Amino acid sequence: MSPVWFVIIAGLSALLAAPVTRLTGRFAGPVLALVPAFLFVSLLQQAPDVAGGVAIMQVIEWVPAFGVNLGFRLDGFSLLFSLLITGIGTLVVIYAGSYFSGDEAKDRGRFLGFILLFMMAMLGTVLADDLIMLFVFWETTSLVSFFLIGFKHEDAKARKAALQSLVVTAGGGLALLGGIIILGLTAGTFSLAEITAQAPQIAAHPAFPAIIVLVLIGCFAKSAQFPFHFWLPNAMAAPTPASAYLHSATMVKLGVYLLARFDTGFGDFAVFYAPLIVFGGVTMLISAYAVMRSSGFKAVLAWSTVCSLATLVLLVGVPGEAGVKATIGFLVAHALYKAALFFAAGQVIQSTHQYELARLGGLKFKLPITAIASLLAAISMAGVPFFLGYKAKDLFITAALDGGDWAIWLTFTALASSAVMTAVAGLAALRPFFIKPPYGEVKLYEGERYGMALPPLVLGTLGLVIGVLPFLAWEPILIPAMAALHGSAVELTVVAMPSLGFKFLITLALLAAGGALVWLWLRLFSDPDKLKPNQVWADLGYWQIMGWLDRAAAMSARLLQRGSLRSYIYITLGVSSVALLLALAGFSGEMIEVAAAAPLRPYMIIVLALLVIGCAVAAFARSVLISIIGVGVVGYTMAVLFLMNGAPDVAFTQFTVETLSIVILLAVLLRISLAPAPAKSLLKRPLAIFISSAFGIACGLGVMAMNILPFDRRISDWFGEASYVEAQGRNVVNVILVDFRALDTLGEIAVVAFATLAVWALLRRREKEEK
């Protein structure tokens, strides 16, 4: 099956989620889960070809004039991500069906539809080879994430968290778009494969640092890296299935995904990899500290996710093969155990109605399946031998020790974050299930749901199975993904039995340090009644900035939005005049020479005199009727100008428009009674004269500047040649309006028609009121 079909099928399933939910009721989760399960199996069937080094490419023309195509590429790395998206997505849909079993069918169907739509956007992002198409799907994930975080829209906290996530990730997306456009123009293509192939030439371009900065901002915002790390813990206001899928296993890893793609070509350049190591390390330390100050179950997991994402960003920045190996190993291990722990947290919170980890305990017999699943996932997260997490941590420590000039920094951050991750693993497994609760027995409001208990058990067991039987995953899937990122074959032998040595001693030391941190955390939160929310300075700074923006918007609204059409015209024409005059300042000398050399045409004096008279009448008349006559004089005089300068068709159009305008306006005046126009104040009259004069002068100078600049005839020549051949029209202006700009002209006609209907409706209403 070609890559595009994975995206199409996922999109169709999202559209069908609501009606399927109405038809299947409480079985909607398992039924809809058949779609991602089918996609997962189909992707597995592609694994042998991809493992052999074959990249499945598919290109569909989208905007050929700009070189933008619907380009899809399935290689080892995109296959790995797609398997995570569809595999974990299958479990998320099953889990969500059970999680929302007590809600109305429309809410359950809406959530499942969003989840499947998100799966489509994720698949589109990781399978995209064209950067423009990748960006479209990238931003779709942000939008769908906004809906999922704010799914409980009646909750103010959820609404605020959803808006914050959208502002941060979409704001970073704008920076990414700028980087993509500059990169595409620099490389002459938007194909990611072609861009990485010509990385040395792009790196020599002066725009390369700007490209990297913009791309890094977009990726850091998406993957919650400093200084954008604060939005992810707040996003835990989302329902737990969304937290497990979006903010642990998939969406937040998109920044890591794109950075890893760019690392294939630009990984040897310090301007790219140095910020990854620095910012990744800083984020690791900040989030590790925040973990130990958090008490909420999902908050602890969320901050540990930020720490894990920082680990991945840092590993992408590690030069050489060791960084690639550690990136892939840690990415897969984290997706499995963290999604399982989020699933378990959702089951605990749903059953006990308790969000604080410090208030939980003793649930091992009440929620036995969840306890086992949580324990398996936590053991893998702690890096205990015979689990996938152990091999991931081993590769992480290897990459840190082999980090060259960055070895000290990498080793320090690696050890600090690993110890905290071990502590989080202990807290997630021990505190809710195996440690005595602080205030007697925790009340259980409902029993364990199999639809919510089995998905984490599957993921936790999978971490053990891959650790004991590594040949099931490493050779067919993980090592090809490493080769796709590294750009060449990767040698890695994985065995179940851990090797004794220095790194094994480090692992034991980290387990001991994690145990000490668990003891410290339990002492820190020994009194649940004294729990205080964890203050995040970056989060406070975000809300401070948003407050400034709100106040600035209110101030500008008070200054500009006065409810006066005259004020709006003053502002618009005034700003336009200043901008035009500043832009034309460099042409002043040449325009004087052109004006002095222009021949004097006597008839123009008469025409201009008529224009001035018409403008004066329209501006100073107290009667609306006299003002309309003045405007008509201006319009007819302009038509004469067109006629005398070789544009009879434009002159005819002007005559027609002016005649119709005057007739319609006079007809309207006959139907309504107008009060005399209020007299302008002494200040407003000179101001109006000054602004209108400045705007007229600016427009006149603009026309003169256009005459000075060399005329590029390519567009006009093309229209002249194509108007008769392609549109069978001899009048070029008419052909442009009716054929080449048909939709634009239709839009203008529609605007006039709607305005006419609105005026007609108002007149009819006035007529009825008078009767």
Side-chain angles (χ1 to χ4, degrees):
M1 188 165 61
S2 60
V4 67
W5 281 107
F6 294 107
V7 180
I8 293 173
I9 292 173
L12 291 175
S13 68
L15 296 176
L16 297 174
V20 170
T21 302
R22 286 195 298 269
L23 291 173
T24 56
R26 61 190 182 92
F27 298 104
V31 171
L32 288 172
L34 294 175
V35 176
F38 167 75
L39 297 177
F40 179 81
V41 173
S42 300
L43 286 164
L44 279 179
Q45 293 175 348
Q46 309 281 352
D49 293 335
V50 173
V54 177
I56 303 173
M57 298 288 296
Q58 184 178 13
V59 179
I60 303 170
E61 285 191 350
W62 186 14
V63 190
F66 295 99
V68 179
N69 299 312
L70 296 175
F72 295 89
R73 178 177 61 170
L74 183 65
D75 60 5
F77 191 46
S78 57
L79 175 65
L80 173 62
F81 252 94
S82 299
L83 288 172
L84 289 175
I85 293 165
T86 55
I88 297 179
T90 301
L91 299 177
V92 167
V93 173
I94 295 173
Y95 185 94
S98 180
Y99 185 89
F100 287 99
S101 60
D103 292 55
E104 294 184 8
K106 63 177 184 178
D107 292 332
R108 187 163 63 251
R110 183 161 57 95
F111 186 86
L112 291 172
F114 282 144
I115 285 290
L116 293 170
L117 182 62
F118 177 81
M119 182 179 69
M120 178 212 71
M122 283 293 303
L123 286 172
T125 305
V126 301
L127 293 174
D129 182 62
D130 185 274
L131 285 177
I132 298 295
M133 188 183 75
L134 181 147
F135 175 78
V136 171
F137 286 114
W138 176 288
E139 288 301 280
T140 304
T141 62
S142 295
L143 183 61
V144 180
S145 176
F146 167 77
F147 290 124
L148 286 169
I149 296 172
F151 185 77
K152 298 178 180 178
H153 51 81
E154 68 281 355
D155 183 2
K157 182 180 178 182
R159 295 196 303 269
K160 288 179 64 177
L163 182 60
Q164 184 183 69
S165 71
L166 183 65
V167 169
V168 175
T169 57
L174 291 176
L176 177 63
L177 178 61
I180 286 174
I181 292 175
I182 299 173
L183 180 59
L185 295 176
T186 302
T189 178
F190 288 102
S191 170
L192 190 56
E194 296 178 16
I195 287 172
T196 53
Q198 52 178 307
Q201 294 83 356
I202 297 173
H205 195 276
F208 181 63
I211 293 170
I212 295 302
V213 169
L214 293 172
V215 170
L216 289 181
I217 291 174
C219 293
F220 284 178
K222 197 74 164 183
S223 289
Q225 298 301 289
F226 177 83
F228 310 108
H229 58 288
F230 54 87
W231 73 265
L232 180 56
N234 291 333
M236 293 303 108
T240 300
S243 300
Y245 196 31
L246 281 66
H247 307 132
S248 177
T250 54
M251 187 194 90
V252 289
K253 288 189 173 72
L254 279 187
V256 176
Y257 171 83
L258 190 56
L259 290 174
R261 283 296 192 191
F262 275 96
D263 184 68
T264 303
F266 304 107
D268 295 331
F269 300 97
V271 69
F272 176 76
Y273 70 76
L276 301 185
I277 296 176
V278 173
F279 280 87
V282 170
T283 308
M284 286 171 64
L285 297 177
I286 292 174
S287 55
Y289 173 71
V291 166
M292 301 309 299
R293 296 181 66 241
S294 301
S295 63
F297 201 162
K298 291 177 69 175
V300 169
L301 295 178
W303 277 114
S304 68
T305 298
V306 175
C307 188
S308 299
L309 292 171
T311 302
L312 288 168
V313 169
L314 183 144
L315 289 174
V316 171
V318 175
E321 188 175 310
V324 172
K325 293 177 180 178
T327 300
I328 297 299
F330 190 80
L331 186 149
V332 176
H334 174 265
L336 296 182
Y337 64 64
K338 189 58 66 68
L341 290 175
F342 266 108
F343 282 150
Q347 176 69 276
V348 170
I349 294 171
Q350 189 91 326
S351 301
T352 63
H353 298 179
Q354 180 55 256
Y355 294 86
E356 292 293 334
L357 189 60
R359 296 181 183 275
L360 294 169
L363 298 175
K364 59 180 180 295
F365 295 119
K366 297 180 179 180
L367 304 173
I369 300 177
T370 306
I372 295 172
S374 182
L375 184 63
L376 291 173
I379 291 174
S380 181
M381 184 177 182
V384 175
F386 299 105
F387 280 79
L388 176 60
Y390 169 77
K391 186 58 183 178
K393 184 171 287 189
D394 180 74
L395 293 173
F396 180 21
I397 296 173
T398 301
L401 296 175
D402 295 343
D405 297 335
W406 296 88
I408 297 177
W409 171 250
L410 290 171
T411 303
F412 172 73
T413 53
L415 296 179
S417 66
S418 296
V420 172
M421 290 303 98
T422 302
V424 172
L427 291 173
L430 298 177
R431 174 74 269 183
F433 301 104
F434 300 99
I435 294 180
K436 184 179 179 181
Y439 290 131
E441 188 175 359
V442 177
K443 184 178 180 181
L444 209 67
Y445 289 88
E446 59 180 273
E448 197 168 44
R449 300 180 185 178
Y450 291 112
M452 296 175 64
L454 293 180
L457 183 63
V458 170
L459 294 175
T461 305
L462 193 59
L464 174 61
V465 171
I466 296 177
V468 176
L469 305 173
F471 63 88
L472 293 177
W474 288 90
E475 287 293 335
I477 299 173
L478 272 65
I479 293 179
M482 297 175 184
L485 282 186
H486 189 55
S488 59
V490 172
E491 295 294 332
L492 180 64
T493 302
V494 182
V495 295
M497 183 64 64
S499 58
L500 302 179
F502 178 64
K503 289 187 290 184
F504 184 76
L505 294 178
I506 292 177
T507 302
L508 295 180
L510 291 176
L511 290 173
L517 289 177
V518 170
W519 177 84
L520 179 64
W521 188 93
L522 293 174
R523 292 293 300 271
L524 183 65
F525 296 104
S526 58
D527 188 356
D529 290 332
K530 295 183 179 180
L531 295 179
K532 295 182 179 179
N534 181 19
Q535 296 291 330
V536 182
W537 292 110
D539 188 34
L540 297 177
Y542 166 84
W543 291 114
Q544 186 69 37
I545 293 173
M546 296 302 292
W548 291 341
L549 290 176
D550 288 341
R551 289 190 290 273
M555 183 182 299
S556 65
R558 287 193 298 270
L559 291 174
L560 302 177
Q561 301 296 326
R562 296 176 172 271
S564 170
L565 180 61
R566 181 180 290 110
S567 299
Y568 300 154
I569 295 174
Y570 285 170
I571 294 170
T572 302
L573 296 184
V575 173
S576 301
S577 301
V578 172
L580 280 171
L581 291 173
L582 289 175
L584 298 171
F587 295 94
S588 56
E590 299 174 65
M591 285 190 286
I592 293 173
E593 296 176 3
V594 170
L600 180 62
R601 291 178 286 178
Y603 72 87
M604 288 295 296
I605 298 175
I606 300 174
V607 173
L608 291 175
L610 288 174
L611 281 174
V612 172
I613 292 171
C615 291
V617 170
F620 293 101
R622 294 292 302 277
S623 171
V624 177
L625 179 61
I626 301 300
S627 296
I628 292 173
I629 293 175
V631 172
V633 170
V634 173
Y636 284 124
T637 306
M638 291 299 300
V640 172
L641 274 177
F642 294 142
L643 186 63
M644 299 178 71
N645 285 275
D649 51 348
V650 179
F652 176 75
T653 303
Q654 182 72 16
F655 278 124
T656 305
V657 171
E658 286 300 324
T659 302
L660 287 174
S661 299
I662 292 174
V663 171
I664 292 172
L665 286 173
L666 291 176
V668 170
L669 288 176
L670 292 175
R671 301 292 298 276
I672 60 177
S673 58
L674 295 176
K680 297 185 177 72
S681 67
L682 295 177
L683 176 62
K684 289 182 178 179
R685 189 179 295 273
L687 181 62
I689 295 174
F690 175 76
I691 292 178
S692 58
S693 300
F695 185 70
I697 292 171
C699 292
L701 293 176
V703 173
M704 294 178 62
M706 283 189 280
N707 289 328
I708 294 171
L709 296 173
F711 182 60
D712 189 346
R713 299 190 57 87
R714 287 179 296 175
I715 296 178
S716 57
D717 289 344
W718 184 87
F719 278 122
E721 295 171 1
S723 62
Y724 183 75
V725 176
E726 297 189 16
Q728 288 78 46
R730 297 182 182 276
N731 189 312
V732 178
V733 176
N734 289 347
V735 169
I736 292 173
L737 293 175
V738 176
D739 292 278
F740 294 115
R741 292 182 57 217
L743 292 177
D744 189 16
T745 304
L746 177 63
E748 294 172 356
I749 294 172
V751 169
V752 174
F754 290 142
T756 303
L757 290 173
V759 172
W760 176 77
L762 289 172
L763 292 176
R764 288 290 302 273
R765 180 178 179 181
R766 183 182 180 90
E767 181 181 351
K768 291 180 179 179
E769 291 176 352
E770 290 176 352
K771 291 181 178 179

